[in-house]
């Protein structure tokens, strides 16, 4: 129809490297020409100067791109792949794209998790879509209209909640003319998904170490009225590390405590001999321990490993959910996932699982969760199962522990 001349596609780096280009090959009759705008500034400039229909750039280079063109971009259409990565209105990438938005006649946002934590997350995304028509020109006006403070110390507001029961529907009504939802289950015939919770038990010495650390950390935090998301996250991180098997000391060294999860993963590998396994880890010491115990494993760093995995050349692929949660097509390489380290982020969890459980998968997808008994792993797993927002579930878990130990710093 000649309504669009040049399209700018913004995506996570690994997705920008190959996913869009690989998918376009399946639509050869369209003869779309792609230019991949990655690499050094000089390489990016050369890619921008090529004659193409679609220019794919990493979201990390958006600010550079806007500054390079003086915020007057030579594209008439914008596609934001995984738009929830622009949910923070204070981020440089959002501010740069907000300033350059008048350059585009058409804007399309793509995401499987538009509001990963709360409906507060959709304001900046919808603003990039319509320039503020549906939800207001500023995050402050949006917040004032639909939300109220949920946690505050009198001066600083740590979190917000919806104003009342009607506010949620009012937001949906406001954005309804601009959005549509396509659920895979309604349009695609996917094989079954099997979720396994595999209980892992620490030895008695590790259990004692965990209980001692948990009590010391909890009692050092004061009463539950004083707990913020930041302090709760710090406690959670320590306990999650220990549940996985190791922990960082204050000076940055790693102390190995147990191998319960490593041993259980070895059992899974043995039971699925010859089948590729995608393992999600949480901490750097998790990665180091996995690489030591499974020398055949490869770390997912970019398109090369993704292609090798899909060709069946990698028996175990190690990935952090934050770095590979968006847009990667890994469904051709295997159908087994192991969560070695769990995450409070429902968005990362859902998106990471969707790397295998997606269109093109022809085998049942088996998702194994290694959950250490008697640890914070159990609270994280419960939050993921109930699809609770990560921060709220985290605070609730920590406050429950404070009440369990009495919340008295003088307690011995």
């Amino acid at each position: 129809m000649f309504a669009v001349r040049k399209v700018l596609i913004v995506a996570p780096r690994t997705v920008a490297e190959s996913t869009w280009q690989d998918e376009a090959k399946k639509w050869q009759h369209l003869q779309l020409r792609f230019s991949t705008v990655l690499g050094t500034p000089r390489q990016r400039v050369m890619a921008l100067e090529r004659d193409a229909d679609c220019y794919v750039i990493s979201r990390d280079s958006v600010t550079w791109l806007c500054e390079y063109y003086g915020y007057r971009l030579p594209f008439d259409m914008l596609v934001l792949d995984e738009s929830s990565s622009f949910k923070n209105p204070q981020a440089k990438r959002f501010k740069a794209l907000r300033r350059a938005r008048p350059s585009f006649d058409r804007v399309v946002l793509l995401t499987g998790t538009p509001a990963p934590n709360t409906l507060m997350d959709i304001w900046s995304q919808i603003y990039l879509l319509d320039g503020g028509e549906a939800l207001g020109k500023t995050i402050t006006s949006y917040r004032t209209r639909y939300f109220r403070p949920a946690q505050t110390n009198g001066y600083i507001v740590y979190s917000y909640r919806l104003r009342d029961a009607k506010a949620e529907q009012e937001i949906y009504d406001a954005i309804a003319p601009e959005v549509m939802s396509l659920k895979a289950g309604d349009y695609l015939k996917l094989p079954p998904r099997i979720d396994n919770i595999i209980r892992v038990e620490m030895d008695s010495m590790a259990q004692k170490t965990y209980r001692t650390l948990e009590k010391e950390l909890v009692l050092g935090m004061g009463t539950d009225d004083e707990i913020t998301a930041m302090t709760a996250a710090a406690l959670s991180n320590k306990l999650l590390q220990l549940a996985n098997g190791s922990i960082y000391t204050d000076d940055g060294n790693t102390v190995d405590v147990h191998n319960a999860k490593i041993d259980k993963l070895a059992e899974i590998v043995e039971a699925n001999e010859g089948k590729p396994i995608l393992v999600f880890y949480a901490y750097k010491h998790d990665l180091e321990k996995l690489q030591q115990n499974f020398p055949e494993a490869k770390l997912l760093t970019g398109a090369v490993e993704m292609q090798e995995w899909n060709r069946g050349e990698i028996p175990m692929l190690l990935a952090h959910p934050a770095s590979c949660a968006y847009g990667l097509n890994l469904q051709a390489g295997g159908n087994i996932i192991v969560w070695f380290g769990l995450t409070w982020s429902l968005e990362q969890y859902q998106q990471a699982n969707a790397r295998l459980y997606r269109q093109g998968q022809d085998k049942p997808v088996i998702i194994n969760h290694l959950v250490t008994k008697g640890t914070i792993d159990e609270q994280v797993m419960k939050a993921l199962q109930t699809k609770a927002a990560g921060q709220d579930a985290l605070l609730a878990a920590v406050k429950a522990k404070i009440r369990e130990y009495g919340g008295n710093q003088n307690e011995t």
Side-chain angles (χ1 to χ4, degrees), residues 235-272:
L235 180 146
S236 169
N237 270 326
K238 288 287 188 183
L239 298 181
L240 284 172
Q241 288 175 43
L242 200 50
N244 289 356
S246 303
I247 190 168
Y248 291 120
T249 60
D250 291 339
D251 56 7
N253 294 321
T254 301
V255 176
D256 194 30
V257 180
H258 67 86
N259 285 318
K261 286 195 176 184
I262 287 290
D263 294 341
K264 188 60 67 174
L265 178 57
E267 292 178 15
I268 294 173
V269 171
E270 184 178 357
N272 294 276

Side-chain angles (χ1 to χ4, degrees), residues 62-269:
V62 164
T63 302
W64 170 87
L65 180 73
C66 293
E67 291 174 350
Y68 176 74
Y69 282 116
Y71 298 93
R72 295 184 179 181
L73 278 57
F75 309 96
D76 45 19
M77 181 173 178
L78 169 68
V79 177
L80 282 187
D81 194 356
E82 303 299 348
S83 65
S84 60
S85 62
F86 285 80
K87 67 178 181 283
N88 182 2
Q90 302 304 320
K92 289 182 178 179
R93 67 176 68 149
F94 168 77
K95 291 181 178 179
L97 210 49
R98 177 181 188 175
R99 186 173 170 185
R101 194 201 168 280
S103 303
F104 308 105
D105 297 324
R106 294 186 177 211
V107 179
V108 174
L109 273 59
L110 306 171
T111 179
T113 51
N117 297 311
T118 71
L119 281 172
M120 193 80 74
D121 291 340
I122 70 168
W123 176 82
S124 55
Q125 297 173 75
I126 298 298
Y127 180 92
L128 292 177
L129 190 66
D130 66 8
E133 292 183 12
L135 298 180
K137 301 288 185 181
T138 66
I139 182 65
T140 301
S141 63
Y142 172 65
R143 205 161 43 206
T144 302
R145 183 173 182 181
Y146 297 107
F147 297 84
R148 62 183 178 84
Q151 186 183 22
T152 178
N153 66 358
Y155 302 97
I156 301 173
V157 179
Y158 295 110
S159 62
Y160 291 83
R161 66 181 60 176
L162 287 167
R163 183 197 68 225
D164 52 37
K166 297 179 180 178
E168 182 175 9
Q169 190 58 49
E170 289 175 7
I171 294 172
Y172 294 155
D173 291 343
I175 66 175
E178 302 176 358
V179 303
M180 61 188 294
S181 175
L182 301 175
K183 294 184 178 180
D186 296 335
Y187 297 91
L188 303 175
K189 290 185 178 180
L190 292 173
R193 167 177 161 170
I194 303 167
D195 287 77
N196 294 329
I197 297 178
I198 301 175
R199 304 290 179 182
V200 175
E201 191 160 3
M202 299 182 288
D203 58 54
S204 58
M205 185 63 70
Q207 290 179 25
K208 184 177 180 180
T209 300
Y210 183 92
R211 291 282 166 258
T212 301
L213 177 66
E214 179 183 57
K215 190 168 185 178
E216 288 176 355
L217 289 173
V218 168
L219 294 179
M221 295 181 71
T223 65
D224 57 1
D225 291 335
E226 299 170 351
I227 301 306
T228 67
M230 187 176 298
T231 55
L235 180 146
S236 169
N237 270 326
K238 288 287 188 183
L239 298 181
L240 284 172
Q241 288 175 43
L242 200 50
N244 289 356
S246 303
I247 190 168
Y248 291 120
T249 60
D250 291 339
D251 56 7
N253 294 321
T254 301
V255 176
D256 194 30
V257 180
H258 67 86
N259 285 318
K261 286 195 176 184
I262 287 290
D263 294 341
K264 188 60 67 174
L265 178 57
E267 292 178 15
I268 294 173
V269 171

Side-chain angles (χ1 to χ4, degrees), residues 3-9 33 48-55 69 73-78 104 106:
V4 174
R5 184 176 56 88
K6 291 175 68 175
V7 181
L8 175 66
I9 301 169
R33 300 167 300 161
L48 290 169
E49 292 175 348
R50 293 192 190 104
D51 188 19
D53 304 301
C54 303
Y55 297 79
Y69 282 116
L73 278 57
F75 309 96
D76 45 19
M77 181 173 178
L78 169 68
F104 308 105
R106 294 186 177 211

Side-chain angles (χ1 to χ4, degrees), residues 265 277-281 290 316-320 337-338 340:
L265 178 57
I277 298 176
L278 173 59
V279 179
F280 291 118
Y281 68 91
L290 286 165
M316 180 184 289
L317 185 64
L318 307 177
H320 193 285
I337 291 173
V338 175
F340 185 87

